[in-house]
């Protein structure tokens, strides 16, 4: 498939048109951003790592019954994906309290939650991706109806069950993650965007070491080494 003009550039990826209207190409970037892109960084090879990690995880999820936009990996940092009408909701699933949950509600850092918490954030840079409830999502017309919101929650929880057990076997704790969904040609909801250490938090089960973008957010160093370690555990 031929790569055509740039359709959209996000913080972590560029999306290109192809000569087939049903498919796009996602190119993963080496840039890192945090806190609404007020903090910027660059890590050579990060894009390739996220492309490989995302490809592995999309395949794992597909095998376990989650529909995704993933078609195939094309190169080190390029992925062929199905075109989808993106839903402007960031679905965050949390197993352990940290990050904005700790800040917003004062739940102690590292506390294991009694059940997986699913949250919706409105994907809107100008508004700084605010936390929203179901009614906000409907009023903003981000989702068609309540059934669609329930489907996002169901898929978020299901993805959590699959990934949590996969990473647990590899001595990594899946602390929380963010996923995004779109509607395919038939209107079916499919998992889109990426699943990588940019969008998940992983803690080493034995040492508690952070192996994700918090290393960049908190200036802990060794960002790429951490992403490489996550990939090593996925493919081992
Ligand atoms: P938070 O604790 O900052 O709300 O983040 C929750 C999870 O979502 C964490 O795994 C990081 C991920 N995330 C993103 O992928 N993109 C974002 O813009 C934010 C704020 C969080």
């Amino acid at each position: 498939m031929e790569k055509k003009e740039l359709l959209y550039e996000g913080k972590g990826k560029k999306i290109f048109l192809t000569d087939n209207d049903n498919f796009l190409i996602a190119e993963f970037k080496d840039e890192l951003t945090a806190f609404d892109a007020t903090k910027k960084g660059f890590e050579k090879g990060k894009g390739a790592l996220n492309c490989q990690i995302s490809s592995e995880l999309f395949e794992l999820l597909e095998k376990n019954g989650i529909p995704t936009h993933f078609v195939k990996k094309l190169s080190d940092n390029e992925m062929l994906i199905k075109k989808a009408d993106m839903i402007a909701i960031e679905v965050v699933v949390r197993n352990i309290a940290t990050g904005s949950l700790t800040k917003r509600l004062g739940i102690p850092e590292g506390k294991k939650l009694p059940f997986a918490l699913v949250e919706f954030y409105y994907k809107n840079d100008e508004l700084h991706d605010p936390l929203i409830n179901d009614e906000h999502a409907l009023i903003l017309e981000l989702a068609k109806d309540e059934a669609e919101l329930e489907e996002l929650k169901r898929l978020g929880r299901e993805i959590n069950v699959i990934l949590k057990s996969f990473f647990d076997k590899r001595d990594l704790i899946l602390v929380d993650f963010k996923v995004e969904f779109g509607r395919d040609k038939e209107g079916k909801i499919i998992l889109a965007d990426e699943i990588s250490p940019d969008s998940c938090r992983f803690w080493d089960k034995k040492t508690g070491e952070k192996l994700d973008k918090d290393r960049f957010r908190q200036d802990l160093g060794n960002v790429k080494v951490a992403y490489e370690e996550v990939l090593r555990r996925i493919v081992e």
Side-chain angles (χ1 to χ4, degrees):
M1 210 157 298
E2 212 184 313
K3 193 170 177 180
K4 298 280 195 184
E5 63 264 33
L6 181 71
L7 175 65
Y8 166 82
E9 178 159 5
K11 285 179 277 203
K13 290 183 296 301
K14 288 181 185 170
I15 307 293
F16 293 88
L17 295 169
T18 69
D19 51 7
N20 183 324
D21 194 37
N22 296 321
F23 299 98
L24 300 170
I25 291 174
E27 188 186 290
F28 287 69
K29 307 200 301 191
D30 287 341
E31 280 82 5
L32 277 154
T33 67
F35 314 123
D36 269 339
T38 51
K39 182 178 171 116
K40 292 189 172 77
F42 182 87
E43 203 65 56
K44 187 148 180 54
K46 191 266 302 185
L49 283 162
N50 278 358
C51 185
Q52 201 179 340
I53 291 169
S54 283
S55 299
E56 297 284 344
L57 296 178
F58 281 139
E59 274 177 3
L60 169 78
L61 290 168
E62 283 277 357
K63 253 188 252 156
N64 284 278
I66 305 288
T68 80
H69 72 163
F70 179 73
V71 181
K72 64 176 176 181
K73 194 165 170 288
L74 295 173
S75 71
D76 278 357
N77 67 341
E78 291 171 309
M79 189 190 278
L80 184 65
I81 57 176
K82 289 178 210 152
K83 198 182 212 171
D85 167 27
M86 291 301 290
I87 297 173
I89 297 179
E90 299 197 336
V91 179
V92 168
V93 184
R94 302 177 188 269
N95 298 305
I96 292 177
T98 188
S100 70
L101 183 66
T102 302
K103 275 206 202 86
R104 184 178 301 110
L105 300 181
I107 301 174
E109 169 79 21
K111 185 180 160 61
K112 190 176 178 298
L113 302 176
F115 52 86
L117 170 65
V118 182
E119 298 173 327
F120 290 153
Y121 292 83
Y122 178 22
K123 199 173 158 65
N124 182 315
D125 282 340
E126 272 171 39
L127 299 175
H128 312 293
D129 300 348
L131 177 70
I132 54 169
N133 68 19
D134 289 22
E135 290 170 319
H136 294 132
L138 293 176
I139 286 168
L140 289 165
E141 296 181 6
L142 305 179
K144 278 199 306 232
D145 50 27
E146 275 172 53
E148 206 172 63
L149 293 173
E150 286 309 314
E151 177 68 354
L152 296 181
K153 289 182 209 170
R154 187 189 70 78
L155 286 166
R157 290 193 183 99
E158 187 70 28
I159 291 166
N160 184 48
V161 168
I162 298 162
L163 293 185
K164 211 171 106 171
S165 111
F166 176 83
F167 283 109
D168 182 63
K169 289 182 196 121
R170 288 156 177 82
D171 281 342
L172 282 177
I173 299 169
L174 179 64
V175 175
D176 56 30
F177 63 89
K178 181 269 299 177
V179 276
E180 294 178 33
F181 296 89
R183 303 177 192 95
D184 71 5
K185 270 193 305 180
E186 285 80 41
K188 189 172 83 168
I189 295 192
I190 60 174
L191 176 64
D193 194 49
E194 67 181 87
I195 307 189
S196 72
D198 273 6
S199 60
C200 305
R201 287 192 175 101
F202 301 109
W203 293 351
D204 183 274
K205 213 200 277 182
K206 296 199 176 104
T207 64
E209 195 186 1
K210 295 176 181 182
L211 296 171
D212 55 62
K213 199 164 94 173
D214 273 350
R215 299 205 70 84
F216 169 69
R217 293 189 188 96
Q218 300 170 11
D219 295 317
L220 301 174
N222 289 333
V223 177
K224 197 175 157 195
V225 175
Y227 285 37
E228 280 165 348
E229 179 61 17
V230 171
L231 175 61
R232 194 186 66 75
R233 300 223 195 160
I234 289 172
V235 298
E236 80 184 357

